[in-house]
Amino acid sequence: MAAVPEIRPRCMIWLGHPSSQERDVLAAAGWDLRVIDDPHGARIGLRGSDRVAALLDLRHADAAWAEAMRALLAPHSDLPLVTLGHEELQAGSLLQLSEPLDLVQIQKLAQIVDGERPLCGSKGTDCLVGSSTAMLAVHASLQKFAPVDLSVLVTGETGTGKELAARALHEMSARRGRSFIAINCGALPANLVQSELFGHEKGSFTGAASRRIGLFEAADGGTIFLDEIGDLPLDAQTNLLRVLQEGTLERVGSHHSIRIDVRVVAATHIDLEDAVAHGRFRQDLFYRLDVLRLHMPPLRERGNDVELLAKHFLAEFREQHRVRARGFDASARRQLHSHRWPGNVRELLNRVRRAAVVSENELLDASALQLQDATSAGDGLDEVRVHAEREAILTTLRDSGFNISECARRLRVSRVTVYRLCKKHQLELEALRT
């Protein structure tokens, strides 16, 4: 694996009184925190391996306290100093922060303190826009997990950003200079799963006209993201377990072991423990994948993030396309917050893009987002739709002899979607089969 710059810890020396929310923001941005609230008798000790910055919190300070804190900092003139509050006392600071302190400001400071480390950018954590408590917890976990070369299981509903989280883990790790390969396990043809993942030798099966390198070999030294891992066939699960246990693989049609160095990040929106209990997923593989777990929260649990994300998506779209839309009116903002977002962030992204294209107004309204119909439909209509969906999946299961693959083929969905629908409608497959 190619040599990469060492990732050194960062420490924030906070001179003052950080709030609990500010502590969460610093943790989310990967900063250790040391608090000094009384300048008398205090001293600043620095470890040579750390990247350190000092934050002078002037919000509740008088001139004497601020002067005493500056005297404490005087022997460390090379220490980056940022200030918060009381503009008249902010002289000499590298960066002046404003309230409320948020992740964007702290990440900007991180870029200044350790410029060569790509903590921000289109491939980093700022892809996961949001300042809610739930998303600050996600960012804090990313900071902890990224430098540790262990498997990560990312859970969460469809559309919550599981692949973005996997990419952020890769970009923030020592593997960031190598390949990141994403695979949707539910989309792999059942008869080609082994060949796609682990490669094959010439003549190993009909149609194998030449040797092929599998995706795991292609990701050597980097990260491989296995989306919808619960849809992986059992025989492929066995080979994946060998890769995780031994760090080797065998191409289809070969008995020669190839050593590889790959970090595996897997994702699922189904209950893998339930899949293990019903024999659909290997228990030993589950424990190998579930070393570190990262849960992506649904959009409905992220509070004001929904409006923040909508503005972010619209601004990005405006940079690439000439559209009149530049913001959201009051009706749109109300609907953004009241809608349940079953498709999560992906649904929001698509609605914002569509509204920006079709609307002739500068401010998008609820009708442009097409949220009025989605949120105001009566409970009776919802019940009819749910009942129809349940009957459709149940009828198809019966007609296919409760063969999941055949049922998925007839419905034109993935096998994992069939399992998800069964769980949603409380259809116990084992009980139905008997």
Side-chain angles (χ1 to χ4, degrees), residues 68-377:
M69 282 297 188
R70 290 186 184 277
L72 182 64
L73 291 167
H76 308 283
S77 57
D78 58 337
L79 196 64
L81 174 64
V82 297
T83 51
L84 178 63
H86 265 306
E87 294 182 5
E88 64 271 19
L89 298 176
Q90 289 186 348
S93 64
L94 176 68
L95 183 66
Q96 296 177 356
L97 305 179
S98 59
E99 291 189 275
L101 191 64
D102 59 25
L103 199 56
V104 174
Q105 293 184 80
I106 295 301
Q107 287 178 331
K108 182 179 179 180
L109 173 61
Q111 286 184 303
I112 295 173
V113 172
D114 51 5
E116 81 275 12
R117 183 180 175 189
L119 291 175
C120 297
S122 61
K123 296 183 180 179
T125 55
D126 66 346
C127 294
L128 302 167
V129 174
S131 57
S132 63
T133 300
M135 283 309 294
L136 289 179
V138 168
H139 281 276
S141 293
L142 288 172
Q143 297 287 349
K144 293 176 183 176
F145 295 171
V148 184
D149 212 13
L150 297 171
S151 299
V152 180
L153 181 63
V154 187
T155 62
E157 297 176 8
T158 298
T160 50
K162 296 188 288 294
E163 183 172 343
L164 287 180
R167 288 184 181 275
L169 283 168
H170 174 73
E171 291 295 328
M172 296 164 64
S173 76
R175 296 176 179 267
R176 60 186 176 270
R178 306 301 291 267
S179 297
F180 175 88
I181 295 180
I183 307 164
N184 186 333
C185 297
L188 294 175
N191 60 329
L192 294 177
V193 170
Q194 300 274 21
S195 173
E196 290 287 332
L197 294 181
F198 309 115
H200 64 252
E201 296 292 344
K202 179 180 179 180
S204 56
F205 55 86
T206 303
S210 61
R211 170 185 286 176
R212 175 170 181 170
I213 300 299
L215 295 171
F216 268 82
E217 261 186 277
D220 189 30
T223 303
I224 196 160
F225 173 58
L226 301 175
D227 197 9
E228 303 300 359
I229 187 68
D231 209 30
L232 198 65
L234 286 171
D235 54 349
Q237 292 178 28
T238 301
N239 287 340
L240 175 57
L241 180 64
R242 183 184 303 119
V243 172
L244 293 175
Q245 287 178 329
E246 303 172 10
T248 62
L249 60 80
E250 291 181 5
R251 300 189 190 114
V252 176
S254 171
H255 299 291
H256 174 66
S257 293
I258 301 171
R259 182 158 294 280
I260 59 167
D261 172 26
V262 174
R263 185 184 192 182
V264 174
V265 180
T268 180
H269 73 267
I270 67 168
D271 187 340
L272 281 186
E273 288 96 331
D274 182 69
V276 168
H278 288 88
R280 299 192 303 270
F281 201 83
R282 290 187 60 125
Q283 185 178 55
D284 45 6
L285 176 58
F286 169 70
Y287 290 132
R288 282 282 178 177
L289 294 171
D290 191 30
V291 180
L292 301 172
R293 183 177 293 202
L294 177 66
H295 179 68
M296 299 302 295
L299 185 54
R300 62 183 174 275
E301 295 178 3
R302 292 177 53 180
N304 291 331
D305 281 358
V306 64
E307 191 172 335
L308 188 66
L309 280 163
K311 293 176 180 177
H312 173 75
F313 292 148
L314 180 57
E316 277 193 334
F317 196 72
R318 280 170 55 83
E319 290 179 0
Q320 301 167 10
H321 305 277
R322 295 183 63 181
V323 295
R324 293 194 65 185
R326 58 177 177 80
F328 303 87
D329 72 4
S331 71
R333 292 196 298 273
R334 284 194 300 271
Q335 294 293 341
L336 285 171
H337 288 283
S338 63
H339 187 60
R340 295 294 292 168
W341 299 110
N344 292 294
V345 179
R346 186 180 297 128
E347 179 189 358
L348 174 62
L349 171 63
N350 291 335
R351 285 187 182 274
V352 169
R353 287 177 172 176
R354 180 173 56 205
V357 171
V358 302
S359 178
E360 298 295 331
N361 302 319
E362 290 192 351
L363 294 181
L364 299 176
D365 58 18
S367 61
L369 291 169
Q370 298 184 18
L371 288 177
Q372 286 180 322
D373 293 338
T375 57
S376 61

